[in-house]
Amino acid sequence: MSEILEMIERTIEELKSEGMNPDIMLAGPQFIEYSRDALKKINLKIYRIEELSYDAVIADSNYLGQIKKASRRVSVEPLLEEKEVWNELKKLDV
């Protein structure tokens, strides 16, 4: 969970450093499911978008769709895959 929160906060800071004011997140259902605790700690309006699945887009709603640097896409899928690999390695008991 802390990895997900760090990823979200890092993305928000990147957008702010480029002069944006990130205020919304468009998130897939699986992203929301695995990030529920982290999402409670951030101050963004969250919209569920089925098509995003394990991904989310953090954006400045004033510029979304107008300029490319107004949003960033993030995903929990790589974190889940990494966790799965570590679990498999633990099972090997080497």
Side-chain angles (χ1 to χ4, degrees):
M1 196 283 299
S2 65
E3 293 171 328
I4 296 171
L5 181 59
E6 288 175 18
M7 176 180 60
I8 293 169
E9 288 176 339
R10 184 175 52 251
T11 304
I12 290 170
E13 288 307 313
E14 286 175 12
L15 287 165
K16 286 181 178 180
S17 72
E18 293 183 8
M20 298 290 114
N21 183 27
D23 58 344
I24 64 169
M25 175 186 281
L26 311 175
Q30 289 83 3
F31 186 94
I32 292 171
E33 178 183 338
Y34 290 104
S35 307
R36 193 168 310 280
D37 292 336
L39 296 178
K40 291 176 185 177
K41 297 180 180 185
I42 60 171
N43 190 26
L44 298 176
K45 180 136 177 126
I46 301 167
Y47 297 92
R48 181 183 169 122
I49 308 292
E50 292 293 324
E51 292 79 7
L52 286 174
S53 189
Y54 288 92
D55 295 352
V57 176
I58 299 171
D60 181 333
S61 62
N62 291 319
Y63 298 104
L64 185 61
Q66 296 176 5
I67 49 180
K68 189 175 182 176
K69 71 176 189 174
S71 65
R72 294 279 189 291
R73 191 168 185 149
V74 294
S75 179
V76 294
E77 196 166 25
L79 297 174
L80 297 174
E81 288 174 5
E82 181 181 337
K83 184 178 179 182
E84 196 173 300
V85 168
W86 282 111
N87 287 338
E88 288 299 319
L89 287 172
K90 286 178 185 177
K91 288 179 187 176
L92 293 175
D93 195 36
V94 177

